[in-house]
């Protein structure tokens, strides 16, 4: 997770990470609480927005929102 955090911190603007479980939920936990533990269940097609400062350290991100595929379809 720290290699991914380092890469993300070098990017500018908004980025999207695409992946599979349990990697995504573990990374969300790492960035929001500093531990690689699952805080959210990312079902297929789910989206989670993290807000974090530039060069964020583990535990500094905040979950802005999480939406399931069904919720996304309802917005379309």
């Amino acid at each position: 997770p720290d290699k991914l955090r380092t890469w993300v911190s070098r990017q500018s603007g908004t980025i999207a990470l695409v992946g599979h479980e349990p990697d995504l939920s573990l990374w969300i936990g790492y960035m929001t609480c500093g531990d690689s533990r699952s805080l959210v269940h990312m079902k297929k097609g789910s989206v989670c927005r993290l807000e974090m400062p530039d060069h964020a350290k583990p535990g500094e991100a905040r979950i802005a929102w999480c939406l399931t595929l069904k919720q996304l379809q309802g917005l379309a």
Side-chain angles (χ1 to χ4, degrees):
D2 204 48
K3 286 182 182 181
L4 180 57
R5 183 199 55 83
T6 300
W7 180 85
V8 167
S9 71
R10 292 185 191 138
Q11 309 310 306
S12 61
T14 301
I15 63 168
L17 300 177
V18 179
H20 297 276
E21 281 299 290
D23 298 330
L24 286 176
S25 60
L26 292 175
W27 196 75
I28 292 166
Y30 178 70
M31 291 308 297
T32 56
C33 70
D35 279 334
S36 290
R37 61 182 166 140
S38 182
L39 298 176
V40 296
H41 181 66
M42 298 293 292
K43 292 182 179 179
K44 185 181 264 185
S46 296
V47 179
C48 182
R49 178 184 169 92
L50 295 182
E51 294 179 349
M52 61 184 79
D54 292 339
H55 311 291
K57 294 178 184 160
E60 293 185 340
R62 182 179 77 80
I63 297 174
W65 46 259
C66 283
L67 296 171
T68 65
L69 180 58
K70 192 172 197 174
Q71 291 168 321
L72 291 168
Q73 289 170 332
L75 294 173

